[in-house]
Amino acid sequence: MCMRFIIAIALSFTVFVSGGLYGQAMSVEEQSSPSIENFEYGEYSYFDLQNEKHQYFKGYLTKAYREFGKRSDAWDADAEALLKDFELYITYVEPGLIPYKMLSTSGLDFGKIGWRCEKLMDQSCNDPLVLFAMFRMHYKKHFKDEHYKRLTEAYKLLPEMKYPVDIRFLITQFFDSFTRMNYEKLDESYFGTTLDIEAVKFFQFMKDKPELRRVYFSVLEDWFKNSSKDVLLKSRSLAKTLEERVDELDPWMYHMFRGVHALEMAWAERGGGWSREVTSFGWQGFDTYSRIAAEHLKKAHEIEPKFAEAAALLIRVTMGASDSIEGLKDEWYWFRQAIAAQHDYHPAYRWMSWAMRPRWGGSHLKMYLVGLVGLNSDRYDTRAPLELRYSIKNIISDTRLYLILEDPKVRSFIVKMFEKLAENESYQSNDVVYNYLLSSYMTYCWQMDMREKSRKLAIKLGDNLDMSATALPYKMPLDLSVILAYTGNYAERLTESDKAFAKEDYDHSLRLLDEILVDIEVDDSIHEKEFGFIKKRFVYIRMLTDYINGEWTELIDEGEPNVGWEMVFGDWEVVDGGLEGASKNASYREGLMLKHSVDFGHRFKVRGKATLMGESPESYGDRYQNIALFYHALVEKNCHDTALRFCPLTDEIALKTDQTDVPSKYLRTKLDRTVNFEVHVSEEESIVFVDGEEIGRFEHAKAPADSYKSFGIGAYTNDRGVRVRFDSLEIKKSK
């Protein structure tokens, strides 16, 4: 490990700190902020962990399958190809909220993996290791009972097979947790082995393999932290089993499991609400399990002081229970311990940033200092400097303000971070990673009013802009065309148009845009994306003006069909003047959705022509093959979410609101795949017409006046592959 002596940071930032946060008087808490000088930075990084995992798993699973697997000429080639991919998957995919893919991309083709999984299912593959890999990489989020049945059949074969101890445990642990999370109960006696049996063998195996401690904690961390009720209860009984045989087990892995489990139990007892909402029994349980967690995690850290894992978790313990546990050191101590072990260990930064929030007795200044610790590592070959960005985003989320980015010193550190990272070969060597970094840099430059730098980055990126990197808290992702338009030759007049729009002087706003479009016709230097933005802006304001004036307003413009629409779920494209969408990997009921950016209120009429183009090959039922309209509230407010569905395969029109105690309502009527519809929407009812004939009325809970008022189209489905097309769509304000 290395020691870096950091130049003292003057806490006199003109806006962020000077005179206190955001110009207020500096509090005693802020004046006594901890020093981040002389931080010790461990040389070990996620790269080293990935290398250890890669060295262990590369060829290991495929070899085990060849020697011990349930083989067949029908599926051997596909099974080995899948396991080869899984060896990469288990190497590169880290547990927790933020996979470490910024610097290392596995190159896995998940579309091809899905295809191979389906093929193996068709070939009747029933090897437990192969099924485990199939579910981890593909079926975990979208499976059917028939898929789970095959997994069950394969798992039942495991006790008689001779797979190595660690592989047997990985399979068993996954099957146990997956079953408990998705089904009501698990009858372990049916399978000839249990989680307890396989876990004891695994923890015994680990006693002779201390070099695999980091490898397997990384693989099993999500399971250790699983807080779902049934899994947590099972882990509690497993903890008792392990305690009875503790002398036979690897001490570090045992204490890590017990510590993490106790920590999750502590928070389960407490609940996730505000402290004033916690009952006396909740506090008692929280205190008891926090003490157990602290005891085991401190022992784990004593065994492996050069590992970051236990120290990072002790930040979380200290955050919630430091006052009640005698002798427990503070968060900054454990943060230093974690970073001294591994300079880029993200959970340490994550928990420290959370612990320093004002609600936990910290301050936004302290949150900022956590990020500076990462920047000051000077390890621009890893993601450690990006922890500054992570802390800044947390401050913005907590304050709902962007004032921190107005401080010149903060800006200088952000620029330094991005510039140094962009110069490093670790980023430059991978186009995907490099484009993500530049896209994020462009976004921060834009937000910090560094418009020219933002424009240069936008032009450099071009079509390689990564939209996922442009989203900041409480703001829409930043499109390339926006930057080019507001930094180009017409930026001043475009801004003037926006000011008129903000004052609801829509006619003046439109006239200014029209004048710009006339000038653009003879401007050969205009960037096509800049021109496209201004044209779409004109269409959008014209659309809004028509709606406000009480006219039927075309929402699928003949020249610019996608103007005003924002993609929420699924894949959407413009085809022959219409909007076509296909659902994919739906994890929400609204598996396919575009929403409109205009606030249409709660009273309007909408009419149009839509077609159910294709059915999902893996449907949960014909009602999931539908054409849907969404209104009153969308996913931002999970309340009174109204979905009106046209279901041609069942000849039904259905209305569902997001109220668990209110079932769907149905109207029976003959429907073709192409539906010409009109719906009159008010706060309390929807009147539905098909081909000009009134079909019926739906009453629904009155939409609150302050609820989300946008409007969406798509399909209300969990299925993948549902395809719909909207040829026309008009909306009119109701009185």
Side-chain angles (χ1 to χ4, degrees):
M1 71 180 54
C2 65
M3 179 79 74
R4 300 190 189 277
F5 293 93
I6 310 305
I7 297 174
I9 299 169
L11 300 181
S12 58
F13 304 161
T14 55
V15 175
F16 181 48
V17 179
S18 179
L21 292 178
Y22 317 123
Q24 300 173 8
M26 184 179 286
S27 66
V28 173
E29 178 70 24
E30 290 160 327
Q31 292 179 44
S32 60
S33 293
S35 169
I36 60 171
E37 297 179 14
N38 302 334
F39 246 79
E40 194 174 334
Y41 293 90
E43 290 288 351
Y44 192 86
S45 75
Y46 274 113
F47 283 130
D48 298 303
L49 175 61
Q50 286 181 344
N51 183 58
E52 289 176 14
K53 292 170 74 177
H54 185 61
Q55 292 301 316
Y56 184 69
F57 286 111
K58 184 181 180 182
Y60 179 49
L61 302 182
T62 50
K63 181 182 178 182
Y65 171 74
R66 291 192 194 108
E67 293 183 11
F68 310 113
K70 188 77 173 177
R71 301 183 61 186
S72 167
D73 291 340
W75 64 69
D76 273 352
D78 287 308
E80 290 191 22
L82 186 82
L83 289 174
K84 187 176 180 181
D85 281 342
F86 187 56
E87 289 166 355
L88 275 178
Y89 177 90
I90 207 169
T91 294
Y92 285 106
V93 178
E94 295 297 329
L97 297 179
I98 301 184
Y100 196 68
K101 60 186 179 182
M102 269 300 300
L103 299 177
S104 296
T105 52
S106 64
L108 292 172
D109 183 344
F110 285 96
K112 191 172 183 179
I113 287 171
W115 167 81
R116 181 162 276 125
C117 288
E118 299 296 334
K119 189 177 178 183
L120 285 163
M121 279 289 179
D122 292 340
Q123 293 164 338
S124 300
C125 176
N126 63 348
D127 177 80
L129 174 57
V130 177
L131 266 293
F132 163 58
M134 290 163 63
F135 267 76
R136 275 290 304 270
M137 292 194 292
H138 180 64
Y139 288 118
K140 188 176 181 180
K141 291 185 178 180
H142 39 268
F143 71 96
K144 291 185 175 182
D145 286 342
E146 63 197 63
H147 301 142
Y148 175 72
K149 183 179 179 181
R150 179 74 59 79
L151 177 67
T152 302
E153 293 169 354
Y155 179 63
K156 195 174 181 182
L157 300 174
L158 183 65
E160 304 303 320
M161 301 179 76
K162 296 183 179 180
Y163 272 124
V165 169
D166 54 341
I167 292 178
R168 289 171 63 93
F169 177 66
L170 289 178
I171 297 169
T172 301
Q173 174 271 312
F174 175 81
F175 180 78
D176 186 277
S177 298
F178 185 82
T179 301
R180 294 180 191 280
M181 291 173 67
N182 291 281
Y183 293 89
E184 290 185 1
K185 63 180 181 178
L186 173 61
D187 182 3
E188 292 185 290
S189 64
Y190 176 74
F191 296 101
T193 190
T194 67
L195 179 64
D196 285 27
I197 291 172
E198 301 298 335
V200 168
K201 292 178 181 178
F202 172 73
F203 279 77
Q204 290 170 334
F205 161 86
M206 286 299 299
K207 189 173 184 179
D208 296 325
K209 299 283 186 179
E211 70 275 11
L212 294 180
R213 285 169 172 170
R214 271 174 164 153
V215 168
Y216 266 118
F217 182 78
S218 171
V219 172
L220 296 170
E221 185 177 359
D222 277 347
W223 171 59
F224 279 24
K225 294 180 177 178
N226 194 318
S227 58
S228 62
K229 181 180 178 181
D230 290 339
V231 175
L232 202 57
L233 291 175
K234 177 57 187 174
S235 294
R236 185 166 67 179
S237 69
L238 174 59
K240 293 179 180 178
T241 299
L242 294 177
E243 186 176 19
E244 292 170 359
R245 305 181 66 171
V246 64
D247 292 339
E248 306 170 28
L249 314 178
D250 175 60
W252 186 83
M253 192 65 78
Y254 168 74
H255 287 302
M256 287 299 294
F257 172 75
R258 291 295 310 276
V260 174
H261 172 257
L263 186 54
E264 296 302 328
M265 285 296 298
W267 285 96
E269 291 285 332
R270 180 193 183 279
W274 293 93
S275 60
R276 62 177 178 270
E277 300 170 345
V278 182
T279 66
S280 58
F281 290 106
W283 282 122
Q284 184 178 352
F286 181 71
D287 180 68
T288 299
Y289 281 108
S290 292
R291 291 174 181 275
I292 295 172
E295 176 187 353
H296 285 287
L297 292 172
K298 284 194 293 183
K299 287 180 179 178
H301 184 67
E302 289 170 3
I303 294 168
E304 291 285 12
K306 294 183 179 181
F307 285 13
E309 289 80 358
L313 287 163
L314 280 161
I315 296 171
R316 191 180 175 203
V317 174
T318 306
M319 178 181 78
S322 60
D323 294 339
S324 61
I325 302 177
E326 185 178 351
L328 184 62
K329 297 183 183 294
D330 68 10
E331 296 95 337
W332 284 96
Y333 173 83
W334 294 116
F335 184 47
R336 282 180 174 271
Q337 294 294 308
I339 303 309
Q342 181 177 336
H343 71 275
D344 65 343
Y345 192 63
H346 177 70
Y349 291 97
R350 173 175 175 251
W351 287 119
M352 195 63 190
S353 181
W354 189 267
M356 292 301 105
R357 291 183 181 231
R359 74 186 70 174
W360 290 99
S363 67
H364 296 129
L365 172 57
K366 291 181 180 180
M367 293 172 68
Y368 174 68
L369 293 177
V370 172
L372 281 184
V373 170
L375 181 69
N376 286 337
S377 70
D378 285 337
R379 287 295 301 270
Y380 294 99
D381 57 328
T382 70
R383 68 161 294 146
L386 281 170
E387 297 297 346
L388 175 63
R389 184 187 67 161
Y390 181 75
S391 286
I392 287 173
K393 289 180 72 172
N394 284 341
I395 292 168
I396 293 170
S397 296
D398 200 52
T399 61
R400 295 181 174 265
L401 296 169
Y402 278 76
L403 290 176
I404 184 173
L405 296 184
E406 295 179 12
D407 180 81
K409 196 68 175 179
V410 173
R411 291 183 178 185
S412 70
F413 283 138
I414 291 174
V415 170
K416 174 186 175 182
M417 174 188 72
F418 280 115
E419 290 286 346
K420 291 281 190 179
L421 289 169
E423 292 172 359
N424 194 277
E425 187 179 351
S426 294
Y427 286 83
Q428 292 181 353
S429 61
N430 186 295
D431 289 341
V432 174
V433 171
Y434 189 60
N435 291 332
Y436 181 95
L437 180 73
L438 293 187
S439 299
S440 183
Y441 188 15
M442 178 201 74
T443 305
Y444 274 87
C445 285
W446 180 260
Q447 191 61 46
M448 295 186 298
D449 207 29
M450 299 169 59
R451 298 300 169 93
E452 283 306 311
K453 181 63 177 179
S454 186
R455 181 179 180 86
K456 288 179 181 179
L457 289 166
I459 293 173
K460 182 176 182 177
L461 283 162
D463 293 334
N464 294 318
L465 175 72
D466 189 333
M467 290 294 290
S468 67
T470 68
L472 291 174
Y474 314 114
K475 291 185 180 293
M476 295 298 298
L478 188 59
D479 189 81
L480 194 71
S481 61
V482 175
I483 292 176
L484 295 175
Y486 285 95
T487 57
N489 295 331
Y490 305 98
E492 188 175 341
R493 281 192 282 172
L494 186 58
T495 302
E496 188 179 346
S497 171
D498 290 345
K499 290 178 180 177
F501 179 84
K503 295 177 181 178
E504 299 184 359
D505 189 353
Y506 303 125
D507 290 337
H508 182 49
S509 181
L510 274 177
R511 282 197 302 273
L512 289 168
L513 290 173
D514 192 34
E515 291 171 3
I516 294 174
L517 290 171
V518 170
D519 291 344
I520 285 176
E521 290 181 3
V522 294
D523 185 355
D524 294 334
S525 66
I526 187 76
H527 194 287
E528 62 177 346
K529 291 188 179 293
E530 180 181 353
F531 170 66
F533 174 84
I534 296 172
K535 185 179 179 182
K536 289 180 179 180
R537 183 70 176 160
F538 177 83
V539 172
Y540 175 82
I541 296 177
R542 185 186 65 194
M543 184 186 298
L544 181 60
T545 302
D546 289 345
Y547 182 73
I548 291 172
N549 292 335
E551 303 174 14
W552 278 105
T553 304
E554 182 62 70
L555 297 184
I556 302 179
D557 183 78
E558 184 177 352
E560 299 285 347
N562 58 352
V563 168
W565 293 104
E566 300 168 3
M567 186 172 70
V568 181
F569 299 120
D571 291 326
W572 289 87
E573 59 182 338
V574 176
V575 180
D576 297 329
L579 295 175
E580 292 187 9
S583 63
K584 66 171 185 178
N585 297 344
S587 56
Y588 295 90
R589 292 176 302 279
E590 302 87 345
L592 181 63
M593 183 193 287
L594 286 178
K595 72 173 182 179
H596 208 277
S597 56
V598 171
D599 176 357
F600 292 116
H602 294 308
R603 300 181 65 86
F604 55 82
K605 300 176 182 178
V606 59
R607 66 189 184 191
K609 175 183 176 182
T611 303
L612 178 64
M613 298 179 63
E615 303 171 30
S616 169
E618 301 178 357
S619 177
Y620 288 89
D622 287 343
R623 284 175 175 169
Y624 287 92
Q625 318 287 321
N626 60 71
I627 301 160
L629 307 177
F630 304 95
Y631 45 88
H632 285 349
L634 299 182
V635 293
E636 282 80 355
K637 286 197 174 182
N638 195 25
C639 170
H640 301 299
D641 172 13
T642 304
L644 183 69
R645 293 172 285 163
F646 297 92
C647 309
L649 302 186
T650 57
D651 288 328
E652 293 174 322
I653 302 172
L655 182 132
K656 173 65 177 175
T657 58
D658 196 22
Q659 295 171 283
T660 56
D661 58 336
V662 179
S664 294
K665 301 176 182 178
Y666 297 94
L667 295 171
R668 300 284 301 179
T669 186
K670 177 66 178 175
L671 290 175
D672 296 325
R673 281 184 171 269
T674 297
V675 181
N676 294 292
F677 61 85
E678 183 170 330
V679 184
H680 298 178
V681 177
S682 68
E683 293 92 335
E684 297 176 326
E685 71 172 0
S686 299
I687 308 172
V688 185
F689 301 80
V690 174
D691 293 327
E693 178 183 349
E694 182 178 332
I695 304 302
R697 299 171 179 241
F698 289 111
E699 293 184 356
H700 41 73
K702 185 174 181 179
D706 62 346
S707 68
Y708 202 69
K709 301 174 185 177
S710 194
F711 172 79
I713 59 174
Y716 185 94
T717 183
N718 287 106
D719 292 346
R720 292 178 295 132
V722 177
R723 295 187 61 84
V724 299
R725 173 182 173 86
F726 284 81
D727 284 288
S728 64
L729 192 67
E730 295 178 284
I731 195 166
K732 181 179 181 180
K733 183 170 63 174
S734 297
K735 297 180 180 179

